[in-house]
Amino acid sequence: MSTMNYSEKIPNNVNLSEDRTLQRALEQWQPNFLDWWGDMGPEGSTDSEVYLRTAVSVDPQGWAQFGHVKMRDYRWGIFLNPGDAERKIHFGDHKGEKAWQDVPGEYRANLRRIIVTQGDTEPASVEQQRHLGLTAPSMYDLRNLYQINVEEGRHLWAMVYLLHKHFGRDGREEGEALLERRSGQEDNPRILQAFNEQTPDWLSFFMFTYFTDRDGKFQLCALAESSFDPLARTTKFMLTEEAHHMFVGESGVSRVISRTCAAMNELKTDDPAKLRAAGVIDLPTIQRYLNFHFSVTIDLFGADESSNAATFYSTGLKGRYEEGKRMDDHQLRGQTYRVLNAVNGQLVEKEVPMLNALNEVLRDDYIKDSVAGVERWNKVIEKAGIPFKLKAPHKAFHRNIGALSKVKVSPEGQVLSEVEWAQRQDEWLPSATDRAYVQGLMGRVVEPGKFANWIAPPVMGINRQPVDFEYVRFN
Ligand SMILES: [Fe+2]
Ligand SMILES: [Fe+2]
């Protein structure tokens, strides 16, 4: 069960060949996927052979095999974590019942919506990142970008498999629509706003993979608790791949910071103008990028009070982060949670039914997790002896969804008038000048072992290879 079958046209560990109808449907979708990849996948990657990891088994040991693979020949497939026939539903109204192997009719529409919304983010991020290869700061980074891109492609496969297998004709139509929407396109955009933003430069890319892929982690963790067992099993496997994406983001930002700090010490200055003249990214600019990506990403968790969130939980479709480790009744009726609200231009806490606040609960868990990495970045600055601290902005800063979108708030949490906000927002969010500066730094450096001036080399290579290993062979 856990071993991938790569001899079939569609690699899988779900005995696909035993279900002819499903196999045929997916084989019809496959060329459309490849066309989409050709159009919207990483630009200029077609002939490159990339040192990629490919899943060979879903066992904790040895699920990844490394080797040079032509991007187009990457073996996208369908991999689920092994099932447990005895698995029980462990939260919501159905707690204690057997987990579902098929979709209960009454939850069909909601489950489909959950799967489509998750699925849509996967090709969206490939689209957002498609030009980045042209400005890679090193061959090592280029390889990491491509690794993320092929895995997001596989995550799309994972969701499309569920749609095809469990949602019949509707599912097949959704599978096609996932290849038709386009990130940032006005008439047919991706479903969630953060996935329609551009990822125009590598600082944005590292922030995106740190913050926005981490949103992916939290959504996948919540779905990994689902009573719909195939969804739980497929998201568990996706999570193993997601960890690498967040590593790329965290270590990427860390290397940018490290290079900047080295330049600050060499030049004995913290003057952004002098640092920009030296071709590195000053810490206040890094802070503004952080503010942007943090705020756009926490919007992804949805409205702070949501009856949908309550329904998804009570009906057992979507759990909380680490549901199994929590010490409560896992039904949450009659319990409350404090959410931040804006009343007459003031931030006030409000107690609401816990079930309705589950988006906020997940957002708060996410915030805790992402702030931990910001502290690790601060360690790099501290080690360089520089008195500067990066900080995640206040939860109410720059929000576009939920009650907090009604007020303008500074990164410190101070409520502002529209006028003050307009005057000061360039202090807090990347300005057009910041973006132009960062984009101006982006030039392709792809000789093995060489790195762009604005970023430090990594401490280690991939899969214990040396940093100057030939991670990408251009043909
Ligand atoms: Fe993904
Ligand atoms: Fe990801």
Side-chain angles (χ1 to χ4, degrees):
M1 176 62 193
S2 71
T3 305
M4 317 306 193
N5 184 347
Y6 275 101
S7 63
E8 289 180 39
K9 207 164 158 195
I10 299 173
N12 70 88
N13 71 344
V14 294
N15 297 330
L16 190 58
S17 59
E18 284 170 17
D19 186 343
R20 286 284 172 203
T21 320
L22 175 64
Q23 187 180 34
R24 232 174 297 129
L26 283 164
E27 282 179 3
Q28 271 170 22
W29 186 80
Q30 190 174 35
N32 299 345
F33 169 82
L34 289 172
D35 284 349
W36 166 81
W37 179 264
D39 287 348
M40 297 311 293
E43 206 179 327
S45 68
T46 317
D47 296 320
S48 299
E49 282 175 59
V50 186
Y51 189 66
L52 296 175
R53 66 173 182 187
T54 304
V56 283
S57 139
V58 292
D59 301 336
Q61 302 87 13
W63 64 273
Q65 194 172 64
F66 286 84
H68 283 89
V69 178
K70 264 201 173 185
M71 286 289 272
R72 226 190 123 82
D73 301 335
Y74 183 78
R75 303 303 315 277
W76 285 283
I78 299 155
F79 309 122
L80 267 62
N81 265 20
D84 163 10
E86 297 306 309
R87 184 171 168 244
K88 294 271 190 304
I89 296 172
H90 63 153
F91 66 94
D93 300 344
H94 297 286
K95 196 177 123 185
E97 296 171 21
K98 246 183 132 177
W100 315 316
Q101 297 308 321
D102 292 301
V103 179
E106 65 271 40
Y107 303 143
R108 198 180 153 86
N110 277 343
L111 262 176
R112 190 178 90 191
R113 178 164 155 205
I114 288 172
I115 293 168
V116 167
T117 307
Q118 177 60 42
D120 195 65
T121 66
E122 314 291 354
S125 60
V126 174
E127 292 166 1
Q128 287 170 297
Q129 295 162 12
R130 69 177 297 248
H131 302 300
L132 289 171
L134 306 179
T135 56
S138 76
M139 184 179 262
Y140 164 89
D141 290 291
L142 183 62
R143 178 261 163 214
N144 286 346
L145 169 73
Y146 287 164
Q147 179 73 57
I148 291 175
N149 293 158
V150 293
E151 285 174 353
E152 301 303 10
R154 208 200 61 73
H155 293 176
L156 172 61
W157 270 93
M159 294 296 108
V160 166
Y161 165 73
L162 294 178
L163 289 169
H164 274 224
K165 181 164 168 74
H166 297 279
F167 296 87
R169 188 203 174 107
D170 296 349
R172 291 193 293 278
E173 283 172 7
E174 296 283 12
E176 290 305 320
L178 282 165
L179 297 176
E180 283 158 12
R181 284 186 287 274
R182 290 285 180 275
S183 175
Q185 197 180 79
E186 223 160 275
D187 52 351
N188 196 14
R190 292 295 172 183
I191 296 169
L192 300 169
Q193 185 45 35
F195 291 88
N196 287 304
E197 302 280 351
Q198 287 185 351
T199 310
D201 59 69
W202 279 75
L203 182 57
S204 301
F205 171 66
F206 292 138
M207 291 288 179
F208 184 97
T209 44
Y210 182 76
F211 286 109
T212 312
D213 281 78
R214 187 174 310 274
D215 158 70
K217 167 185 160 181
F218 277 77
Q219 300 298 343
L220 293 174
C221 280
L223 297 177
E225 308 287 342
S226 183
S227 313
F228 178 44
D229 198 49
L231 177 60
R233 287 161 55 202
T234 195
T235 46
K236 269 184 197 138
F237 184 64
M238 289 160 78
L239 277 164
T240 57
E241 293 172 328
E242 213 56 70
H244 173 69
H245 307 179
M246 290 180 289
F247 158 79
V248 168
E250 179 168 338
S251 59
V253 174
S254 188
R255 289 161 52 213
V256 177
I257 293 170
S258 155
R259 177 68 191 100
T260 300
C261 290
M264 289 172 81
N265 285 336
E266 271 160 42
L267 301 171
K268 301 197 172 34
T269 186
D270 60 3
D271 178 357
K274 286 186 186 147
L275 292 163
R276 287 188 178 193
V280 297
I281 306 175
D282 49 286
L283 298 177
T285 298
I286 295 173
Q287 176 68 64
R288 288 190 285 275
Y289 271 71
L290 188 164
N291 290 347
F292 175 79
H293 286 272
F294 180 88
S295 56
V296 167
T297 303
I298 61 173
D299 268 342
L300 284 170
F301 292 87
D304 24 57
E305 283 179 75
S306 159
S307 55
N308 271 334
T311 305
F312 292 171
Y313 185 84
S314 295
T315 54
L317 309 187
K318 184 177 174 183
R320 288 170 295 172
Y321 177 61
E322 299 191 325
E323 183 70 47
K325 292 190 189 163
R326 297 187 188 233
M327 293 306 190
D328 52 30
D329 71 352
H330 303 279
Q331 291 183 321
L332 310 177
R333 292 186 211 110
Q335 297 187 38
T336 58
Y337 193 73
R338 297 179 83 84
V339 301
L340 200 56
N341 206 345
V343 181
N344 301 326
Q346 292 301 312
L347 295 176
V348 281
E349 279 199 333
K350 178 183 164 195
E351 199 148 299
V352 301
M354 173 86 83
L355 282 168
N356 288 61
L358 287 175
N359 285 343
E360 199 61 20
V361 171
L362 195 58
R363 181 167 18 244
D364 287 343
D365 289 333
Y366 168 87
I367 290 174
K368 252 182 256 150
D369 199 55
S370 55
V371 165
V374 176
E375 285 315 314
R376 289 190 289 275
W377 293 334
N378 279 330
K379 287 268 181 315
V380 178
I381 306 176
E382 204 184 296
K383 241 173 124 185
I386 290 167
F388 185 98
K389 263 189 181 312
L390 293 165
K391 212 166 168 262
H394 192 273
K395 192 200 239 188
F397 170 76
H398 189 232
R399 292 290 303 281
N400 275 306
I401 283 185
L404 297 174
S405 65
K406 289 181 291 190
V407 274
K408 293 283 186 269
V409 174
S410 76
E412 288 74 39
Q414 187 198 352
V415 180
L416 307 165
S417 69
E418 290 286 342
V419 177
E420 283 172 300
W421 170 260
Q423 280 168 352
R424 298 193 64 187
Q425 64 164 313
D426 278 1
E427 287 173 39
W428 302 321
L429 291 169
S431 66
T433 319
D434 292 336
R435 291 201 180 274
Y437 171 70
V438 172
Q439 276 165 46
L441 288 179
M442 301 294 126
R444 188 171 159 100
V445 177
V446 287
E447 248 177 89
K450 294 266 185 316
F451 288 81
N453 178 59
W454 54 269
I455 189 166
V459 183
M460 264 188 300
I462 292 294
N463 190 34
R464 280 183 244 119
Q465 296 290 358
V467 170
D468 63 0
F469 182 68
E470 194 178 19
Y471 289 106
V472 181
R473 296 184 192 134
F474 303 105
N475 292 309

